[in-house]
Amino acid sequence: MSESGMPQLNTEYFASQIFWLIISFIILYVVMAKYALPKIANVIETRKDIIARDVEEAENFKKESESTEQGYLQSIKEAQEKASEYLLNSRNKLNLLIEEENNDFEKASRELIQKFETELEKKKSVVLENSEQIAYDVSNDIISRVFGENPLVKDTIKDNIRSMVKS
């Protein structure tokens, strides 16, 4: 032992070091093969199963969400169709109501116009009758002041006024 240095590199101990190295590796291999590696393999297999189950659940959730989305879109479409139908019905009812009100208004307007025209014709005839008498009285008064009282002139004036009013 006079040489100092690392004992691992000393060739006289190589045989015992290799022996204990092989024994250590055999023990390590047996322990790993019997205890550690099966546990690690079991953990890995369990993780694979969990991952596969999670992927399957995710696919199921995806399918469920797609079917829910389709149902939702179908519900929206049906609601839009119902709303469109309701609006169309309301619009048609409103148009019918407006048309009825318009017809009633036109009928009432025609009746009112006819009533006013009848009253106007009556008042016109009354005015024309009175205007004939007024025109006769005024012209008779003017002529009698200018020419004096002449019964022939009065009859002629009356006939002339009648012919003028009628035309």
Side-chain angles (χ1 to χ4, degrees):
M1 278 216 194
S2 63
E3 287 183 33
S4 67
M6 294 179 51
Q8 298 92 341
L9 299 178
N10 194 351
T11 54
E12 103 185 41
Y13 299 115
F14 272 173
S16 69
Q17 287 179 358
I18 290 175
F19 172 77
W20 287 112
L21 178 68
I22 291 172
I23 297 290
S24 298
F25 273 121
I26 290 173
I27 292 172
L28 182 63
Y29 177 77
V30 169
V31 168
M32 292 295 280
K34 292 283 184 189
Y35 299 106
L37 290 178
K39 287 182 181 179
I40 291 172
N42 192 14
V43 168
I44 289 173
E45 189 64 31
T46 305
R47 284 188 178 181
K48 282 183 183 178
D49 291 342
I50 290 172
I51 290 171
R53 187 175 57 234
D54 288 346
V55 167
E56 186 178 326
E57 285 179 6
E59 288 177 3
N60 289 338
F61 286 139
K62 181 180 178 184
K63 288 177 184 176
E64 278 183 38
S65 67
E66 287 174 353
S67 67
T68 303
E69 180 183 13
Q70 290 298 325
Y72 175 72
L73 293 175
Q74 183 66 26
S75 297
I76 288 175
K77 184 178 178 181
E78 288 173 3
Q80 287 175 340
E81 288 173 359
K82 284 181 183 178
S84 295
E85 183 179 322
Y86 180 75
L87 285 174
L88 182 64
N89 288 340
S90 296
R91 188 176 297 145
N92 289 340
K93 286 178 184 178
L94 186 60
N95 285 340
L96 287 175
L97 183 64
I98 289 171
E99 189 175 323
E100 287 176 9
E101 291 293 325
N102 195 17
N103 290 340
D104 291 345
F105 176 73
E106 286 178 6
K107 182 180 176 183
S109 296
R110 280 193 299 268
E111 290 173 358
L112 191 60
I113 289 171
Q114 196 173 22
K115 179 181 172 186
F116 283 135
E117 285 177 350
T118 306
E119 286 182 24
L120 185 64
E121 286 297 322
K122 287 179 185 176
K123 289 182 179 182
K124 182 179 174 182
S125 64
V126 167
V127 168
L128 285 177
E129 287 177 12
N130 289 342
S131 65
E132 196 174 307
Q133 184 60 39
I134 292 171
Y136 174 73
D137 289 341
V138 169
S139 54
N140 187 22
D141 191 34
I142 292 171
I143 291 175
S144 63
R145 288 189 185 190
V146 173
F147 297 110
E149 295 260 344
N150 186 354
L152 290 176
V153 174
K154 286 183 183 179
D155 291 336
T156 307
I157 291 173
K158 208 174 209 178
D159 291 336
N160 286 338
I161 289 174
R162 276 194 197 126
S163 68
M164 286 169 58
V165 169
K166 287 183 182 176
S167 58

